[in-house]
Amino acid sequence: MKKLVLAGNPNVGKSTVFNALTGMRQHTGNWPGKTVGNAIGNFSYQGHNYILYDLPGTYSLISHSKEETVARDFICYQEKDLVIVVCDSLCLERNLNLVLQILEITDQVIICVNLMDEAKKKHVKINLKKLEKKLGVPVVGTSARSKKGLKELVTLIDQNANLNFHPTKVHYGKVIEEKIELLEQEFLNYDLQGLSPRWLALKILERDEKIYEDICQFLGYSLLDDDNIMMIVKKFAEEMEASELKDYIVSQIMKKAEEIVDNVVIYPEEKDLEREKIDRFLTNKWTGIPVMILLFMLVFWITITGANYPSSLLYDLFFSLTEPLRQFCGFLHFPTFLTTMLVDGAYGTLAWVVSVMLPPMAIFFPLFTILEDFGYLPRMAFNLDRCFQKCCACGKQALTMCMGFGCNAVGITGCRIIDSPRERLVAILTNNFVPCNGRFPTIIAFISMFLVGFQTQSGASFFEVLLLIGFVLLGIFMTFLVSYLLSKTILRGKPSSFTLELPPYRKPQFMRVIIRSVFDKTLHVLGRAVVVAIPAGIVIWLLANIQLGDHSLLRYLSDFLDPFGKLIGLDGVIVTSFLLGFPANEIVLPIMIMSYMSLGNMVEFQSLAELKMLLVDNGWTTLTAINAITICLMHFPCSTTCLTIRKETGSWKWVGLAILIPTVCGILICLLNTILFHLFF
């Protein structure tokens, strides 16, 4: 069985080609980080069997993101018969950067120029025969969604043993080429186990420690133990710095890609004039940011108003099952204590989390994915890139920050798209400054009761959304500020550069968007929250129902924290509620109500007017509400997010820092609010 490798940039239809060839259902992501493993499928043609590996989408094999490492390692070190590189017909120059890098590693390459139907619509003409001659490897044009050209691709794959491969190599100048040739001569003394000696020479000259360690591990010995190789490397190090060489190599690859495209692609005289007009509006320095804010105001408004009704239905449905569950526990002869703990504690908390968390996520994530499919998110990253660059962070952090609005755990996972480990950590540590959907209901309730003063029939009013955006902008400002401080202290460094090509606008595939967002994001995050909510509900119920003297453990805890709470303009109940809300932000407000009313179970008020009366009777003022919103915006991540941070960073140290940073910021701002309020009012 022959082994084939499918490689390419993200969003070029690579997984569509994979699905068409193998018959498997495999979705695509629009930036790296969607999948870091390899999808595997099988197909047969003319009596020959093939196994196809779908590598993660990547823009380059030079940097060291997880996707690039997986793709590079597989192409370099795994046994294979052929690499198929899928390219986007409308972004051929950017795609050829990856093609030229792969051609340095292996000669056995077929180029699949996909989305030819899109090129035809845009009146873009590509001379595939000329491209084949320029690259020195077979080229085939396809439209994978309609399966056009796939038969020709499979025929090429089946004939690859009889095809002539003379791949084009990028020329890096006389000095570098001489050193490459010298090293290649030295490599004749070694068994390179199929590694390209030219690519190996480039990596050694770059003095890339990570790649060099991988190569040594693969070969089983150190090439730099050879005195002749060491002499060549040392002499070259005197002539050119490793960083200069890397930048030069990248520039030469880009130059070659541009040269090829100029010779094989003919654009219409008015090249995508409509797209350019839209881009001038969406990415303009005067209109880009305001449009982005208005767009997210619309997304928030739809999410907030749209989630009210299904949340209420889910709440009624789940809590209507409490009595049947009680009867079932009675049927099993459970003790009363155990029945109440399981039904009111574990199940009650679970019902709260699901009914409050599921509808907003089910609305926000599809809306966010529609923006992604439409092509707006890269433009948003372009708008915010300058701000993040000034903070010594990466512009891609704009994307992960916005993903955090749906769920911070998803935003943390999305940080894989950032190549630099330092900048990835900055993005992870600051992601919690944007509120997730679990915090929105609490923030909106406090805004409605104390800062707006009225509710409209349709739900959240325009003023509520406006104030909500104000607090969100505060969170974004803190993201910039803390990113800058981290980049100047414990995560010191300069911002890295990255290529961001604005993709063409495309009509979103709505069914695929809904399925992908529900299964990949909503249910995945909800599952983690459910696992944590059940034991958390038991602990909270025990604290509320175990009595010591005249009061419960929950009351003793809130009384103990009351002096600290009063110091920062809150009270002990509020502080306790946020601490016990660590498993899921959705249960903070119910715990608060339960504590004020000295009840053993979480309850919900029928109207915000009743809830406001309870809070005012317990000493709440406008200052309390502002500080409660502030601490809701800036406090430690929930347990699901903390577990995700641990998984992504591999260290509890960064989890601790992710907990400490927003919490300290929230406390300091609450303290400042309290001091200013008492000075002027």
Side-chain angles (χ1 to χ4, degrees):
M1 182 177 287
K2 292 187 177 181
K3 295 183 179 179
L4 312 177
V5 178
L6 201 62
N9 288 183
N11 205 29
V12 297
K14 183 167 59 67
S15 292
T16 308
V17 173
F18 179 85
N19 291 335
L21 293 178
T22 64
M24 293 178 63
R25 299 294 298 173
Q26 179 74 12
H27 65 260
T28 48
N30 281 268
W31 56 76
K34 193 69 177 179
T35 308
V36 185
N38 302 324
I40 304 173
N42 299 281
F43 70 96
S44 300
Y45 183 76
Q46 300 289 347
H48 298 143
N49 296 321
Y50 299 93
I51 182 169
L52 183 62
Y53 296 88
D54 183 16
L55 300 184
T58 177
Y59 292 103
S60 169
L61 301 180
I62 291 177
S63 298
H64 308 301
S65 71
K66 292 182 180 180
E67 292 71 34
E68 290 161 353
T69 301
V70 169
R72 185 205 70 211
D73 288 354
F74 200 97
I75 293 171
C76 290
Y77 310 131
Q78 296 296 320
E79 182 184 348
K80 62 199 172 299
D81 295 289
L82 185 67
V83 178
I84 305 160
V85 187
V86 182
C87 300
D88 185 344
S89 61
L90 294 175
C91 304
L92 194 57
E93 184 178 327
R94 183 240 295 163
N95 287 233
L96 287 182
N97 291 325
L98 177 65
V99 170
L100 292 170
Q101 291 173 47
I102 292 176
L103 290 179
E104 293 283 12
I105 298 173
T106 177
D107 293 346
Q108 300 298 304
V109 176
I110 288 178
I111 308 301
C112 170
V113 182
N114 194 32
L115 301 170
M116 291 296 289
D117 52 343
E118 296 278 347
K120 187 176 180 180
K121 288 179 185 177
K122 302 290 183 180
H123 306 291
V124 176
K125 298 178 181 178
I126 303 173
N127 190 326
L128 297 178
K129 289 294 182 184
K130 201 171 183 180
L131 178 61
E132 183 173 278
K133 187 177 179 181
K134 289 284 183 182
L135 293 174
V137 293
V139 175
V140 61
T142 63
S143 299
R145 280 182 294 188
S146 57
K147 298 190 176 182
K148 291 181 180 178
L150 291 179
K151 185 176 181 180
E152 290 82 353
L153 173 61
V154 176
T155 302
L156 275 178
I157 292 170
D158 194 55
Q159 297 174 350
N160 80 292
N162 301 317
L163 297 173
N164 293 320
F165 294 88
H166 302 288
T168 297
K169 304 295 183 184
V170 179
H171 191 275
Y172 298 109
K174 183 179 178 181
V175 175
I176 297 174
E177 292 294 339
E178 285 178 354
K179 296 299 183 294
I180 290 174
E181 190 175 340
L182 285 172
L183 286 173
E184 284 184 298
Q185 290 297 320
E186 292 298 327
F187 293 156
L188 294 176
N189 301 320
Y190 292 90
D191 176 16
L192 299 183
Q193 300 180 36
L195 281 182
S196 164
R198 178 179 172 82
W199 178 79
L200 193 54
L202 270 174
K203 296 300 116 183
I204 289 179
L205 290 177
E206 284 180 17
R207 299 184 289 290
D208 191 314
E209 293 182 6
K210 177 65 175 68
I211 294 181
Y212 181 69
E213 287 175 5
D214 293 342
I215 291 170
C216 289
Q217 186 176 358
F218 175 72
L219 295 178
Y221 49 79
S222 171
L223 291 170
L224 293 189
D225 289 340
D226 188 307
D227 292 338
N228 292 332
I229 293 176
M230 200 56 193
M231 183 182 68
I232 295 170
V233 174
K234 283 183 177 179
K235 188 175 180 182
F236 187 72
E238 296 172 1
E239 299 172 5
M240 182 176 283
E241 291 287 338
S243 58
E244 292 177 2
L245 174 63
K246 190 172 182 179
D247 291 340
Y248 178 75
I249 288 173
V250 172
S251 68
Q252 290 302 106
I253 292 173
M254 294 176 68
K255 184 178 177 181
K256 185 66 176 179
E258 183 181 358
E259 176 191 316
I260 293 173
V261 168
D262 287 343
N263 280 274
V264 303
V265 181
I266 300 174
Y267 294 101
E269 291 183 7
E270 295 183 1
K271 181 185 172 183
D272 213 349
L273 187 60
E274 185 179 345
R275 171 187 157 183
E276 288 183 2
K277 286 181 179 179
I278 298 173
D279 278 344
R280 277 199 296 270
F281 179 70
L282 292 180
T283 61
N284 186 277
K285 65 178 180 179
W286 300 111
T287 59
I289 300 294
V291 168
M292 184 181 71
I293 293 173
L294 289 172
L295 191 59
F296 272 90
M297 281 181 67
L298 177 63
V299 170
F300 290 151
W301 182 80
I302 294 173
T303 302
I304 293 164
T305 56
N308 286 336
Y309 185 66
S311 284
S312 178
L313 286 178
L314 284 175
Y315 179 86
D316 292 340
L317 172 64
F318 285 130
F319 281 93
S320 67
L321 299 175
T322 53
E323 285 308 314
L325 283 174
R326 256 185 249 281
Q327 293 173 9
F328 180 71
C329 289
F331 174 76
L332 296 176
H333 302 291
F334 283 4
T336 304
F337 176 82
L338 180 60
T339 298
T340 310
M341 182 179 69
L342 292 176
V343 175
D344 294 335
Y347 178 76
T349 304
L350 174 64
W352 257 100
V353 169
V354 174
S355 60
V356 176
M357 193 174 182
L358 179 58
M361 281 200 301
I363 295 172
F364 178 85
F365 283 135
L367 291 175
F368 190 82
T369 310
I370 286 171
L371 293 178
E372 172 193 337
D373 272 19
F374 178 68
Y376 179 72
L377 294 189
R379 288 156 175 88
M380 184 191 67
F382 178 84
N383 290 331
L384 292 177
D385 178 54
R386 185 176 300 176
C387 298
F388 280 106
Q389 287 286 318
K390 288 182 178 179
C391 298
C392 297
C394 178
K396 292 180 182 178
Q397 190 175 335
L399 300 176
T400 66
M401 180 179 69
C402 289
M403 292 171 72
F405 286 118
C407 175
N408 293 120
V410 174
I412 299 300
T413 304
C415 291
R416 296 174 185 174
I417 68 175
I418 301 173
D419 301 334
S420 164
R422 181 192 72 82
E423 292 170 349
R424 193 181 310 128
L425 276 173
V426 170
I428 287 173
L429 294 177
T430 57
N431 191 268
N432 201 59
F433 282 107
V434 293
C436 65
N437 69 75
R439 287 182 273 173
F440 276 128
T442 303
I443 294 173
I444 292 165
F446 293 155
I447 289 174
S448 300
M449 290 184 290
F450 290 93
L451 302 185
V452 175
F454 62 89
Q455 277 283 97
T456 61
Q457 291 293 325
S458 60
S461 69
F462 170 77
F463 295 103
E464 285 177 300
V465 175
L466 201 61
L467 286 169
L468 177 63
I469 288 293
F471 281 104
V472 168
L473 290 176
L474 172 62
I476 293 173
F477 170 77
M478 292 301 298
T479 300
F480 290 139
L481 177 61
V482 175
S483 295
Y484 177 79
L485 293 175
L486 287 171
S487 298
K488 293 298 181 181
T489 53
I490 60 174
L491 293 173
R492 190 179 292 108
K494 294 181 179 180
S496 62
S497 60
F498 69 97
T499 302
L500 180 63
E501 183 166 339
L502 302 182
Y505 296 103
R506 291 185 181 137
K507 183 180 178 181
Q509 300 179 23
F510 291 100
M511 284 305 298
R512 184 168 66 90
V513 163
I514 293 171
I515 293 171
R516 195 173 79 204
S517 58
V518 168
F519 285 96
D520 284 1
K521 296 174 183 175
T522 305
L523 295 182
H524 176 70
V525 175
L526 188 65
R528 287 190 183 183
V530 165
V531 170
V532 175
I534 293 173
I538 294 174
V539 172
I540 293 167
W541 186 88
L542 289 172
L543 288 173
N545 286 274
I546 295 177
Q547 299 284 323
L548 288 179
D550 296 330
H551 302 297
S552 66
L553 292 178
L554 184 61
R555 176 66 180 274
Y556 281 113
L557 180 59
S558 62
D559 287 347
F560 173 76
L561 294 172
D562 195 59
F564 172 73
K566 292 288 176 57
L567 178 66
I568 59 174
L570 301 171
D571 62 30
V573 169
I574 301 172
V575 176
T576 302
S577 300
F578 278 104
L579 288 174
L580 296 180
F582 173 70
N585 289 297
E586 291 79 5
I587 61 177
V588 169
L589 191 55
I591 294 172
M592 203 177 294
I593 297 169
M594 181 175 68
S595 300
Y596 281 132
M597 298 184 70
S598 299
L599 297 174
N601 306 317
M602 289 188 288
V603 296
E604 183 185 43
F605 277 77
Q606 295 300 314
S607 71
L608 288 178
E610 294 178 15
L611 177 57
K612 181 179 180 180
M613 188 178 299
L614 172 69
L615 298 179
V616 170
D617 289 344
N618 282 275
W620 275 56
T621 63
T622 302
L623 173 65
T624 313
I626 291 173
N627 284 346
I629 295 171
T630 301
I631 209 69
C632 189
L633 185 69
M634 285 176 272
H635 72 285
F636 44 81
C638 69
S639 58
T640 304
T641 305
C642 287
L643 291 173
T644 306
I645 294 172
R646 172 65 179 83
K647 181 181 177 182
E648 293 298 313
T649 64
S651 172
W652 288 109
K653 173 182 71 175
W654 300 115
V655 177
L657 204 57
I659 290 172
L660 187 65
I661 290 172
T663 306
V664 169
C665 289
I667 290 171
L668 290 176
I669 293 176
C670 286
L671 186 60
L672 180 63
N673 288 342
T674 305
I675 293 171
L676 291 176
F677 186 85
H678 288 306
L679 281 176
F680 295 102
F681 297 98

PDB file of all heavy atoms in Angstrom, residues 62-75:
ATOM      1  N   ILE A  62       9.084  26.733   8.206  1.00  0.00           N
ATOM      2  CA  ILE A  62      10.269  27.384   8.777  1.00  0.00           C
ATOM      3  C   ILE A  62      10.082  27.691  10.254  1.00  0.00           C
ATOM      4  O   ILE A  62      10.966  27.485  11.065  1.00  0.00           O
ATOM      5  CB  ILE A  62      10.602  28.674   7.995  1.00  0.00           C
ATOM      6  CG1 ILE A  62      11.088  28.301   6.592  1.00  0.00           C
ATOM      7  CG2 ILE A  62      11.662  29.490   8.710  1.00  0.00           C
ATOM      8  CD1 ILE A  62      11.377  29.480   5.697  1.00  0.00           C
ATOM      9  N   SER A  63       8.898  28.213  10.638  1.00  0.00           N
ATOM     10  CA  SER A  63       8.655  28.553  12.041  1.00  0.00           C
ATOM     11  C   SER A  63       8.346  27.295  12.835  1.00  0.00           C
ATOM     12  O   SER A  63       8.454  26.188  12.325  1.00  0.00           O
ATOM     13  CB  SER A  63       7.513  29.557  12.138  1.00  0.00           C
ATOM     14  OG  SER A  63       7.862  30.752  11.472  1.00  0.00           O
ATOM     15  N   HIS A  64       7.912  27.470  14.078  1.00  0.00           N
ATOM     16  CA  HIS A  64       7.800  26.302  14.956  1.00  0.00           C
ATOM     17  C   HIS A  64       6.476  26.237  15.704  1.00  0.00           C
ATOM     18  O   HIS A  64       6.440  25.895  16.868  1.00  0.00           O
ATOM     19  CB  HIS A  64       8.949  26.302  15.970  1.00  0.00           C
ATOM     20  CG  HIS A  64      10.289  26.449  15.328  1.00  0.00           C
ATOM     21  ND1 HIS A  64      10.766  25.564  14.407  1.00  0.00           N
ATOM     22  CD2 HIS A  64      11.231  27.403  15.466  1.00  0.00           C
ATOM     23  CE1 HIS A  64      11.969  25.948  14.005  1.00  0.00           C
ATOM     24  NE2 HIS A  64      12.258  27.066  14.627  1.00  0.00           N
ATOM     25  N   SER A  65       5.373  26.592  15.034  1.00  0.00           N
ATOM     26  CA  SER A  65       4.084  26.350  15.656  1.00  0.00           C
ATOM     27  C   SER A  65       3.849  24.836  15.675  1.00  0.00           C
ATOM     28  O   SER A  65       4.523  24.083  14.983  1.00  0.00           O
ATOM     29  CB  SER A  65       2.966  27.044  14.871  1.00  0.00           C
ATOM     30  OG  SER A  65       2.755  26.380  13.645  1.00  0.00           O
ATOM     31  N   LYS A  66       2.864  24.392  16.446  1.00  0.00           N
ATOM     32  CA  LYS A  66       2.596  22.956  16.544  1.00  0.00           C
ATOM     33  C   LYS A  66       2.222  22.377  15.186  1.00  0.00           C
ATOM     34  O   LYS A  66       2.643  21.268  14.838  1.00  0.00           O
ATOM     35  CB  LYS A  66       1.472  22.704  17.557  1.00  0.00           C
ATOM     36  CG  LYS A  66       1.871  23.016  18.991  1.00  0.00           C
ATOM     37  CD  LYS A  66       0.744  22.700  19.949  1.00  0.00           C
ATOM     38  CE  LYS A  66       1.140  23.001  21.395  1.00  0.00           C
ATOM     39  NZ  LYS A  66       0.054  22.710  22.346  1.00  0.00           N
ATOM     40  N   GLU A  67       1.436  23.149  14.401  1.00  0.00           N
ATOM     41  CA  GLU A  67       1.017  22.661  13.096  1.00  0.00           C
ATOM     42  C   GLU A  67       2.207  22.507  12.159  1.00  0.00           C
ATOM     43  O   GLU A  67       2.338  21.523  11.440  1.00  0.00           O
ATOM     44  CB  GLU A  67      -0.009  23.631  12.484  1.00  0.00           C
ATOM     45  CG  GLU A  67      -1.333  23.665  13.218  1.00  0.00           C
ATOM     46  CD  GLU A  67      -1.222  24.341  14.573  1.00  0.00           C
ATOM     47  OE1 GLU A  67      -0.430  25.287  14.714  1.00  0.00           O
ATOM     48  OE2 GLU A  67      -1.926  23.901  15.489  1.00  0.00           O
ATOM     49  N   GLU A  68       3.068  23.527  12.153  1.00  0.00           N
ATOM     50  CA  GLU A  68       4.238  23.491  11.277  1.00  0.00           C
ATOM     51  C   GLU A  68       5.187  22.371  11.680  1.00  0.00           C
ATOM     52  O   GLU A  68       5.798  21.712  10.827  1.00  0.00           O
ATOM     53  CB  GLU A  68       4.946  24.847  11.305  1.00  0.00           C
ATOM     54  CG  GLU A  68       4.135  25.930  10.603  1.00  0.00           C
ATOM     55  CD  GLU A  68       4.560  27.331  11.004  1.00  0.00           C
ATOM     56  OE1 GLU A  68       5.391  27.463  11.922  1.00  0.00           O
ATOM     57  OE2 GLU A  68       4.064  28.290  10.404  1.00  0.00           O
ATOM     58  N   THR A  69       5.321  22.150  12.980  1.00  0.00           N
ATOM     59  CA  THR A  69       6.193  21.077  13.462  1.00  0.00           C
ATOM     60  C   THR A  69       5.654  19.710  13.046  1.00  0.00           C
ATOM     61  O   THR A  69       6.410  18.852  12.571  1.00  0.00           O
ATOM     62  CB  THR A  69       6.319  21.144  14.997  1.00  0.00           C
ATOM     63  OG1 THR A  69       6.857  22.414  15.359  1.00  0.00           O
ATOM     64  CG2 THR A  69       7.234  20.057  15.518  1.00  0.00           C
ATOM     65  N   VAL A  70       4.337  19.511  13.221  1.00  0.00           N
ATOM     66  CA  VAL A  70       3.729  18.237  12.828  1.00  0.00           C
ATOM     67  C   VAL A  70       3.898  18.002  11.334  1.00  0.00           C
ATOM     68  O   VAL A  70       4.312  16.918  10.899  1.00  0.00           O
ATOM     69  CB  VAL A  70       2.226  18.216  13.205  1.00  0.00           C
ATOM     70  CG1 VAL A  70       1.527  17.026  12.567  1.00  0.00           C
ATOM     71  CG2 VAL A  70       2.057  18.167  14.719  1.00  0.00           C
ATOM     72  N   ALA A  71       3.595  19.032  10.523  1.00  0.00           N
ATOM     73  CA  ALA A  71       3.699  18.893   9.065  1.00  0.00           C
ATOM     74  C   ALA A  71       5.144  18.658   8.636  1.00  0.00           C
ATOM     75  O   ALA A  71       5.433  17.769   7.830  1.00  0.00           O
ATOM     76  CB  ALA A  71       3.127  20.143   8.390  1.00  0.00           C
ATOM     77  N   ARG A  72       6.061  19.467   9.182  1.00  0.00           N
ATOM     78  CA  ARG A  72       7.473  19.336   8.810  1.00  0.00           C
ATOM     79  C   ARG A  72       8.032  17.976   9.195  1.00  0.00           C
ATOM     80  O   ARG A  72       8.704  17.305   8.410  1.00  0.00           O
ATOM     81  CB  ARG A  72       8.281  20.445   9.494  1.00  0.00           C
ATOM     82  CG  ARG A  72       9.747  20.487   9.099  1.00  0.00           C
ATOM     83  CD  ARG A  72      10.566  21.116  10.185  1.00  0.00           C
ATOM     84  NE  ARG A  72      10.656  20.257  11.354  1.00  0.00           N
ATOM     85  CZ  ARG A  72      10.774  20.698  12.601  1.00  0.00           C
ATOM     86  NH1 ARG A  72      10.774  21.979  12.846  1.00  0.00           N
ATOM     87  NH2 ARG A  72      10.866  19.844  13.607  1.00  0.00           N
ATOM     88  N   ASP A  73       7.754  17.549  10.428  1.00  0.00           N
ATOM     89  CA  ASP A  73       8.284  16.268  10.901  1.00  0.00           C
ATOM     90  C   ASP A  73       7.769  15.107  10.068  1.00  0.00           C
ATOM     91  O   ASP A  73       8.507  14.163   9.765  1.00  0.00           O
ATOM     92  CB  ASP A  73       7.923  16.055  12.372  1.00  0.00           C
ATOM     93  CG  ASP A  73       8.719  16.964  13.300  1.00  0.00           C
ATOM     94  OD1 ASP A  73       9.617  17.671  12.795  1.00  0.00           O
ATOM     95  OD2 ASP A  73       8.437  16.976  14.509  1.00  0.00           O
ATOM     96  N   PHE A  74       6.480  15.176   9.703  1.00  0.00           N
ATOM     97  CA  PHE A  74       5.907  14.078   8.919  1.00  0.00           C
ATOM     98  C   PHE A  74       6.552  14.022   7.538  1.00  0.00           C
ATOM     99  O   PHE A  74       6.925  12.945   7.054  1.00  0.00           O
ATOM    100  CB  PHE A  74       4.395  14.250   8.790  1.00  0.00           C
ATOM    101  CG  PHE A  74       3.680  12.973   8.430  1.00  0.00           C
ATOM    102  CD1 PHE A  74       3.102  12.189   9.412  1.00  0.00           C
ATOM    103  CD2 PHE A  74       3.605  12.548   7.114  1.00  0.00           C
ATOM    104  CE1 PHE A  74       2.455  11.002   9.094  1.00  0.00           C
ATOM    105  CE2 PHE A  74       2.966  11.371   6.776  1.00  0.00           C
ATOM    106  CZ  PHE A  74       2.385  10.595   7.760  1.00  0.00           C
ATOM    107  N   ILE A  75       6.691  15.187   6.900  1.00  0.00           N
ATOM    108  CA  ILE A  75       7.274  15.226   5.555  1.00  0.00           C
ATOM    109  C   ILE A  75       8.753  14.826   5.592  1.00  0.00           C
ATOM    110  O   ILE A  75       9.247  14.135   4.697  1.00  0.00           O
ATOM    111  CB  ILE A  75       7.100  16.630   4.941  1.00  0.00           C
ATOM    112  CG1 ILE A  75       5.620  16.909   4.678  1.00  0.00           C
ATOM    113  CG2 ILE A  75       7.889  16.764   3.637  1.00  0.00           C
ATOM    114  CD1 ILE A  75       5.320  18.333   4.291  1.00  0.00           C
TER     115      ILE A  75
END
